[in-house]
Coordinates of all heavy atoms in Angstrom, one line a residue:
P37 N -51.8 15.2 -4.4 CA -53.1 14.7 -4.2 C -54.0 15.7 -3.5 O -53.5 16.4 -2.6 CB -52.9 13.4 -3.4 CG -51.6 13.6 -2.7 CD -50.8 14.5 -3.6
L38 N -55.3 15.7 -3.9 CA -56.3 16.6 -3.3 C -57.6 15.8 -3.1 O -57.8 14.8 -3.8 CB -56.6 17.8 -4.1 CG -55.5 18.8 -4.4 CD1 -56.0 19.8 -5.4 CD2 -55.1 19.4 -3.1
I39 N -58.4 16.2 -2.2 CA -59.7 15.6 -1.9 C -60.8 16.7 -2.0 O -60.6 17.8 -1.4 CB -59.8 14.9 -0.6 CG1 -58.7 13.8 -0.4 CG2 -61.2 14.3 -0.4 CD1 -58.7 13.3 1.0
S40 N -61.8 16.5 -2.8 CA -62.8 17.5 -3.0 C -64.2 16.9 -2.6 O -64.5 15.8 -2.8 CB -62.9 17.9 -4.5 OG -64.0 18.8 -4.8
R41 N -64.9 17.7 -1.7 CA -66.2 17.3 -1.3 C -67.3 18.0 -2.3 O -67.3 19.1 -2.5 CB -66.5 17.9 0.1 CG -67.8 17.3 0.6 CD -68.0 17.6 2.1 NE -68.5 19.0 2.1 CZ -68.6 19.7 3.2 NH1 -68.3 19.2 4.4 NH2 -69.1 20.9 3.2
Q42 N -68.0 17.1 -2.8 CA -69.1 17.5 -3.8 C -70.4 16.9 -3.5 O -70.6 16.0 -2.7 CB -68.6 16.9 -5.2 CG -67.3 17.4 -5.7 CD -67.3 18.9 -6.0 OE1 -68.2 19.4 -6.6 NE2 -66.2 19.6 -5.6
S43 N -71.4 17.4 -4.2 CA -72.8 16.9 -4.1 C -72.8 15.4 -4.6 O -72.1 15.1 -5.6 CB -73.8 17.8 -4.8 OG -75.0 17.1 -5.0
A44 N -73.6 14.6 -4.0 CA -73.7 13.2 -4.5 C -74.2 13.2 -6.0 O -74.0 12.2 -6.7 CB -74.7 12.4 -3.6
D45 N -74.9 14.2 -6.4 CA -75.4 14.3 -7.7 C -74.3 14.5 -8.8 O -74.6 14.2 -10.0 CB -76.4 15.5 -7.9 CG -77.6 15.3 -7.0 OD1 -77.9 14.1 -6.6 OD2 -78.2 16.3 -6.6
L46 N -73.1 14.9 -8.4 CA -72.1 15.1 -9.4 C -71.8 13.8 -10.1 O -71.5 12.8 -9.5 CB -70.9 15.7 -8.7 CG -69.6 15.9 -9.7 CD1 -69.9 17.1 -10.6 CD2 -68.4 16.2 -8.9
A47 N -71.8 13.8 -11.5 CA -71.4 12.6 -12.2 C -69.9 12.6 -12.5 O -69.4 13.4 -13.3 CB -72.2 12.6 -13.6
V48 N -69.2 11.8 -11.7 CA -67.8 11.7 -11.8 C -67.4 10.2 -11.5 O -68.0 9.6 -10.6 CB -67.1 12.7 -10.9 CG1 -67.3 12.4 -9.5 CG2 -65.5 12.8 -11.3
R49 N -66.4 9.7 -12.3 CA -65.9 8.3 -12.0 C -64.4 8.2 -12.0 O -63.7 9.2 -12.4 CB -66.4 7.4 -13.2 CG -67.9 7.4 -13.3 CD -68.3 6.5 -14.4 NE -67.7 6.9 -15.7 CZ -68.0 6.4 -16.9 NH1 -68.9 5.5 -17.0 NH2 -67.3 6.8 -17.9
I50 N -63.9 7.2 -11.5 CA -62.5 6.9 -11.4 C -62.0 7.0 -12.8 O -62.6 6.5 -13.8 CB -62.2 5.5 -10.8 CG1 -62.6 5.6 -9.3 CG2 -60.7 5.2 -10.9 CD1 -62.5 4.3 -8.6
D51 N -60.8 7.6 -12.9 CA -60.0 7.9 -14.2 C -60.6 9.0 -15.0 O -60.0 9.4 -16.1 CB -60.0 6.6 -15.1 CG -59.1 5.6 -14.4 OD1 -58.1 5.9 -13.7 OD2 -59.3 4.4 -14.6
D52 N -61.7 9.7 -14.5 CA -62.1 10.9 -15.3 C -61.1 12.0 -15.1 O -60.4 12.1 -14.1 CB -63.4 11.4 -14.7 CG -64.7 10.7 -15.1 OD1 -64.6 9.8 -16.0 OD2 -65.8 11.0 -14.6
R53 N -60.9 12.8 -16.2 CA -60.0 13.9 -16.1 C -61.0 15.2 -15.9 O -61.9 15.4 -16.6 CB -59.3 14.1 -17.4 CG -58.3 12.9 -17.5 CD -57.1 13.3 -18.5 NE -56.1 12.3 -18.4 CZ -55.9 11.4 -19.3 NH1 -56.5 11.4 -20.4 NH2 -54.9 10.5 -19.2
V54 N -60.6 15.9 -14.8 CA -61.4 17.1 -14.5 C -60.4 18.3 -14.3 O -59.2 18.1 -14.3 CB -62.2 16.8 -13.2 CG1 -63.2 15.7 -13.4 CG2 -61.2 16.5 -12.1
T55 N -61.0 19.4 -14.0 CA -60.2 20.6 -13.6 C -60.7 21.1 -12.3 O -61.9 20.9 -12.0 CB -60.2 21.8 -14.7 OG1 -61.6 22.1 -14.9 CG2 -59.6 21.3 -16.0
C56 N -59.8 21.6 -11.5 CA -60.1 22.1 -10.2 C -59.9 23.6 -10.1 O -59.1 24.2 -10.8 CB -59.2 21.5 -9.1 SG -59.1 19.7 -9.1
R57 N -60.7 24.2 -9.3 CA -60.6 25.7 -9.0 C -60.4 25.8 -7.5 O -61.2 25.3 -6.7 CB -61.8 26.4 -9.5 CG -61.6 27.9 -9.3 CD -62.8 28.7 -10.0 NE -63.5 29.7 -9.4 CZ -63.5 30.2 -8.2 NH1 -62.8 29.6 -7.3 NH2 -64.2 31.2 -7.8

Side-chain angles (χ1 to χ4, degrees):
L38 295 174
I39 302 171
S40 176
R41 187 174 80 185
Q42 301 293 316
S43 164
D45 298 333
L46 179 71
V48 64
R49 298 182 306 189
I50 293 174
D51 292 328
D52 280 356
R53 291 202 171 110
V54 297
T55 56
C56 306
R57 184 172 137 345

